[in-house]
């Protein structure tokens, strides 16, 4: 039911750009909620785009999640330039190893024939550990690289799904429910209007750091993420959304 003609997808892309107010949109056929190959198609589209925009000596910061892991699974050498670095965008966000930003950054770099630096910081962090960690020389060095990243690749999740997946304490889940959180990205939880209602304390990229980035590439699909995508793009700093047909159609219906 979800496989549109290319020309229909092009039309959808035009509508989505207007609705979400984003410069660039790529839509791949299918519904990634139902079939894994759709995530890989989003991954391939992302790798193709990366090859177009990559500049010499670029640093690429990546978040965690299954969508980012799919991009890593289809990564290939980024031609033309010979020196680039992959780093995790933030400290590990309590996810399974295969879905953690560190693992994904390392895999992407091996397949792309780049370099990588990792960040070994738990998440969430207590205030005291946070203060101590940000003064550790080895952490400071990697954090500097992350903050100065040229390209950011990130996922978006449904707020409550992510809170559940991260085994978030009951009182915070309650807060997310009461404040009607809809989406999550970079450890921030957003309402339907794009307001931040909760933030996981960890080191690495903060939302305000995105302002200075040359390219922020958002990859998220599946009809179940339509509301989350709409919510994130209410405030988002993103130059490109790579999504799938099912999410795109649902966003159009909601608008
Ligand atoms: O936990 C990292 C993260 O990028 C979140 O910020 C995001 O909500 C989630 O992963 C997306 O995960 P998935 O691609 O598995 O839906």
């Amino acid at each position: 039911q979800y496989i549109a003609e290319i020309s229909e997808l092009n039309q959808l892309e035009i509508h989505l750009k207007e609705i979400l107010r984003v410069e660039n949109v790529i839509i791949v056929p299918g519904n990634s909620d139902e079939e894994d190959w759709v995530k890989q198609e989003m991954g391939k589209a992302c790798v193709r785009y990366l090859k177009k925009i990559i500049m010499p000596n670029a640093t690429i910061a990546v978040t965690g999640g299954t969508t980012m892991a799919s991009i890593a699974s289809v990564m290939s050498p980024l031609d033309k330039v010979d020196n680039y670095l992959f780093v995790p965008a933030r400290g590990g966000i309590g996810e399974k190893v295969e879905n953690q930003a560190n693992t994904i950054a390392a895999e992407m770099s091996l397949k792309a024939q780049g370099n990588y630096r990792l960040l070994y910081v738990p998440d969430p962090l207590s205030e005291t550990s946070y203060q101590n960690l940000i003064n550790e020389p080895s952490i400071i060095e990697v954090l500097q690289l992350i903050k100065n990243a040229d390209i950011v690749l990130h996922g978006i999740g449904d707020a409550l799904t992510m809170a559940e997946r991260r085994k978030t304490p009951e009182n915070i889940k309650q807060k997310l429910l009461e404040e009607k959180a809809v989406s999550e990205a970079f450890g921030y939880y957003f309402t339907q209007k794009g307001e931040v209602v909760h933030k996981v304390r960890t080191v690495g990229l903060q939302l305000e750091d995105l302002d200075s980035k040359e390219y922020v590439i958002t990859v998220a699909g599946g009809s179940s993420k339509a509301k989350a995508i709409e919510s994130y793009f209410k405030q988002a700093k993103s130059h490109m959304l790579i999504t799938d047909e099912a999410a795109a159609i649902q966003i159009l219906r909601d608008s």
Side-chain angles (χ1 to χ4, degrees), residues 93-153:
I93 316 199
E95 297 237 23
K96 288 190 197 162
V97 160
E98 60 271 33
N99 294 336
Q100 283 174 14
N102 269 337
T103 317
I104 294 171
E107 186 183 346
M108 281 189 182
S109 113
L110 290 173
K111 293 198 172 150
Q113 293 170 6
N115 301 305
Y116 64 87
R117 293 295 302 274
L118 303 182
L119 187 63
Y120 294 103
V121 172
D123 190 332
L125 274 172
S126 68
E127 182 60 31
T128 343
S129 320
Y130 176 80
Q131 292 304 338
N132 288 335
L133 274 170
I134 55 172
N135 290 313
E136 273 299 322
S138 62
I139 304 265
I140 292 175
E141 197 200 332
V142 182
L143 279 182
Q144 209 57 45
L145 294 168
I146 295 173
K147 295 271 179 191
N148 292 333
D150 308 282
I151 301 173
V152 178
L153 292 185

Side-chain angles (χ1 to χ4, degrees), residues 39 63-69 93 95 99 101 154-158 162 165-166 183-188 219-221 225:
K39 268 189 196 164
T63 67
T66 58
T67 313
M68 290 295 121
I93 316 199
E95 297 237 23
N99 294 336
H154 79 99
I156 304 178
D158 167 76
M162 285 314 295
R165 199 159 100 185
R166 287 176 183 155
S183 65
E184 188 284 341
F186 300 104
Y188 290 77
V219 191
K225 283 195 190 175

